[in-house]
Amino acid sequence: MKYISTRGESKELGFEEALLRGLAPDGGLYVPSEWPSIDFTKLKSQFYWESAAEILQPFFGDFLDKKELNILTKKAYKSFNTENMTPLIQLDDNKYLLELFHGPTLAFKDFAMLLLAELFDLSLKKRNKNITIIGATSGDTGSAAIEAFKNSKNVNVFIFFPKDRVSEIQKKQMTTTGGDRVFPIEINGTFDDCQNIVKALFNDSSFNNEVSLGAINSINWGRIAAQIVYYFTSFKLLENGPISYSVPTGNFGDILAGWVAKKIGLPINNLLIATNENDILARTLKSGIYSIDKAKATMSPSMDIQISSNFERLLFEAYGRDSSKIKSLMSSLKDNNEFTIDDYALDFIKKDFHAKSISEEDTTSCISDVYKKTGYVLDPHTAVGYAASNSLPSEGSIITLGTAHPAKFPTAVKKSLGTVPEMPDRLKKAMNGDERFSEMNIDLEKIKDFIRSSIV
Ligand SMILES: *Cc1c(COP(=O)(O)O)cnc(C)c1O
């Protein structure tokens, strides 16, 4: 499989190159040059990791053969502590919850990050090369990355997180792993400052060459691909009439994976973009205008995002893969903070997607209603998805993706239920571990020196 950029001005690459690069040099995102097709009725795998190898084969095939891929996925997912990695729980007549939080950091980001770490490891060993991964986080991405890469000998990981803006649990998950090559850095600033540091380091080409930077945020195609798998496996578990998915959405990565699953052969009915009060995507589907607002802080912080980077990949398809259109939309976004989607492209999007924004109040009442009815405790992100699922047409089953374990967000749960959820052992261990992290100001030169001198 070859990969091309959504902006059409970068050279076509194989999977391994696209993986290591992350973002295309023209600023666009990598997508497969053509879509494979998978007959889901023929999938026979028993374990999740086997399904992963089967479904990802056409995407990774120029890098790994089937046997190598099986070894890789088995290794990647060995740290899940349940045999059934993705339990499907029925909460109402036609409503199901797909629990994606049984990995080491208790959020769905483990699925993609663990696989990415193995892919990077394999490629770097083969090339006898080391890289320096840098990333900004508001919580879940950082802990998943640190956990996944902590044993990779060819990778040093530097994660920037904003002082006082990540929860105590999220911070402990990043700072207590004990890995020698992972460096959590508390920045005296906001999440945006952290993200700006990452961008500035990437744009500094002499520094980039010196330490070989790598990207692990969800613009990396490898992460999207990994997330296609659980749509297939959960769909196969039900298979009783039409099935729709409600997906708590921020950067549009997880739900884009659902669209790809549909595109390559899974007959998904509707895909519901569930957002918190940061409702840019819900507004866009209604008006056709993608217009950036200020990001609000909500009780589902991993979705407090205004620029949904992966939406560009869907726009590329909606415009019939016309990269000149994408270039002009993105330059309008840069200059005017907004763009308008043409009717035909908006119709394309609305054929597969619905969108619903859920207020803070409705998130709280969803957590308490579901608890009263079923005894099940939802985390605030999953609650946004579950609450939104009421807005879908009622035919068929609806699977809401359960993106995080409720114990990661005790404050929001306490607000809704009056009590905090029980902490899984893995989290208790992180809470009691010794913390190791650095504190830094927004000073690029000092940060570069720190990275240079820390690399092992
Ligand atoms: C990252 C995250 C999301 C949003 O996922 P996207 O792929 O960015 O849309 C939702 N819930 C939780 C718990 C997350 O960590």
Side-chain angles (χ1 to χ4, degrees):
M1 180 72 69
K2 293 285 178 213
Y3 288 85
I4 56 173
S5 163
T6 50
R7 306 211 187 156
E9 286 176 346
S10 299
K11 126 173 160 266
E12 194 177 81
L13 299 179
F15 171 71
E16 188 183 1
E17 296 281 352
L19 172 83
L20 294 177
R21 268 199 172 274
L23 193 68
D26 60 9
L29 307 187
Y30 286 110
V31 290
S33 60
E34 61 198 302
W35 294 109
S37 98
I38 292 178
D39 182 348
F40 80 100
T41 61
K42 297 222 171 93
L43 294 174
K44 295 226 166 23
S45 309
Q46 186 185 357
F47 297 110
Y48 186 88
W49 55 269
E50 289 175 324
S51 308
E54 207 173 346
I55 292 160
L56 295 173
Q57 178 65 38
F59 294 103
F60 300 178
D62 63 349
F63 176 45
L64 295 160
D65 65 27
K66 186 77 194 289
K67 194 163 158 245
E68 292 168 315
L69 190 51
N70 259 297
I71 293 169
L72 185 118
T73 53
K74 187 170 186 187
K75 191 161 166 232
Y77 293 134
K78 69 179 186 296
S79 56
F80 270 69
N81 57 7
T82 43
E83 177 155 337
N84 178 3
M85 285 170 52
T86 57
L88 188 67
I89 314 286
Q90 186 166 19
L91 287 182
D92 209 336
D93 285 347
N94 67 333
K95 288 197 172 168
Y96 296 83
L97 192 81
L98 185 65
E99 293 186 344
L100 299 174
F101 47 73
H102 295 287
T105 71
L106 309 182
F108 81 93
K109 292 199 169 69
D110 287 329
F111 281 87
M113 213 64 90
L114 290 166
L115 195 73
L116 209 63
E118 294 301 330
L119 289 164
F120 267 80
D121 223 35
L122 194 72
S123 166
L124 294 170
K125 272 195 195 124
K126 209 174 72 189
R127 294 168 176 228
N128 197 15
K129 213 182 146 221
N130 291 331
I131 60 162
T132 305
I133 281 175
I134 55 172
T137 187
S138 57
D140 294 333
T141 301
S143 51
I146 286 176
E147 187 61 39
F149 283 94
K150 70 179 181 193
N151 297 321
S152 306
K153 303 228 174 343
N154 303 58
V155 177
N156 284 266
V157 186
F158 295 83
I159 298 289
F160 304 99
F161 63 93
K163 189 178 166 63
D164 300 332
R165 312 262 177 125
V166 299
S167 76
E168 201 197 336
I169 290 178
Q170 288 174 321
K171 182 171 168 185
K172 289 258 165 92
Q173 284 187 310
M174 290 188 271
T175 57
T176 62
T177 63
D180 310 333
R181 294 177 201 81
V182 299
F183 303 91
I185 303 169
E186 183 177 74
I187 292 293
N188 194 3
T190 64
F191 171 68
D192 288 330
D193 295 325
C194 295
Q195 195 142 45
N196 287 336
I197 292 170
V198 170
K199 282 189 195 146
L201 295 177
F202 264 106
N203 288 335
D204 182 336
S205 54
S206 80
F207 182 70
N208 195 339
N209 286 335
E210 183 187 335
V211 301
S212 298
L213 294 177
I216 41 91
N217 43 12
S218 70
I219 52 169
N220 195 308
W221 172 259
R223 279 188 58 186
I224 305 296
Q227 293 167 187
I228 298 168
V229 178
Y230 45 68
Y231 287 92
F232 277 89
T233 55
S234 57
F235 194 98
K236 276 193 79 82
L237 282 178
L238 281 184
E239 270 190 67
N240 56 349
I243 301 175
S244 297
Y245 286 83
S246 175
V247 186
T249 301
N251 218 4
F252 208 74
D254 213 7
I255 194 161
L256 181 80
W259 181 86
V260 174
K262 182 168 182 175
K263 179 79 188 164
I264 65 177
L266 194 67
I268 294 172
N269 194 13
N270 293 302
L271 286 160
L272 176 61
I273 303 165
T275 74
N276 63 23
E277 290 181 4
N278 295 291
D279 62 348
I280 180 164
L281 291 168
R283 283 185 282 117
T284 303
L285 254 68
K286 214 176 268 166
S287 66
I289 301 167
Y290 184 99
S291 162
I292 294 176
D293 212 340
K294 255 207 155 64
K296 277 186 211 161
T298 72
M299 67 177 93
S300 43
S302 302
M303 290 151 53
D304 291 347
I305 281 177
Q306 279 295 319
I307 303 181
S308 286
S309 314
N310 277 297
F311 195 57
E312 178 168 342
R313 288 188 163 112
L314 180 65
L315 285 169
F316 182 63
E317 301 296 333
Y319 276 97
R321 303 204 139 197
D322 181 346
S323 50
S324 65
K325 291 278 188 193
I326 304 306
K327 257 189 352 210
S328 81
L329 295 185
M330 293 303 145
S331 79
S332 160
L333 185 66
K334 199 162 165 222
D335 299 339
N336 317 314
N337 277 331
E338 67 171 46
F339 58 75
T340 302
I341 304 174
D342 291 282
D343 287 344
Y344 70 95
L346 191 61
D347 288 344
F348 176 99
I349 293 171
K350 284 184 174 168
K351 230 174 34 216
D352 291 327
F353 291 92
H354 292 255
K356 176 77 181 167
S357 153
I358 299 297
S359 67
E360 290 287 275
E361 243 182 319
D362 290 346
T363 309
T364 311
S365 34
C366 176
I367 295 175
S368 79
D369 287 350
V370 168
Y371 182 71
K372 274 184 210 138
K373 267 198 205 134
T374 67
Y376 192 91
V377 182
L378 295 169
D379 104 281
H381 303 79
T382 308
V384 166
Y386 197 74
S389 72
N390 290 320
S391 70
L392 274 184
S394 63
E395 91 266 18
S397 307
I398 303 171
I399 297 176
T400 298
L401 299 194
T403 52
H405 192 288
K408 279 194 100 165
F409 301 95
T411 315
V413 174
K414 180 147 196 216
K415 195 169 160 211
S416 316
L417 303 182
T419 53
V420 296
E422 186 171 354
M423 232 190 236
D425 288 343
R426 283 184 150 156
L427 222 43
K428 279 190 202 143
K429 213 172 135 214
M431 292 307 280
N432 296 325
D434 289 332
E435 284 198 273
R436 188 172 63 94
F437 65 99
S438 310
E439 294 161 82
M440 299 196 77
N441 288 321
I442 310 164
D443 180 335
L444 272 185
E445 288 311 312
K446 286 230 171 82
I447 290 171
K448 284 198 277 189
D449 284 341
F450 176 78
I451 293 178
R452 283 188 189 103
S453 63
S454 305
I455 288 178
V456 184

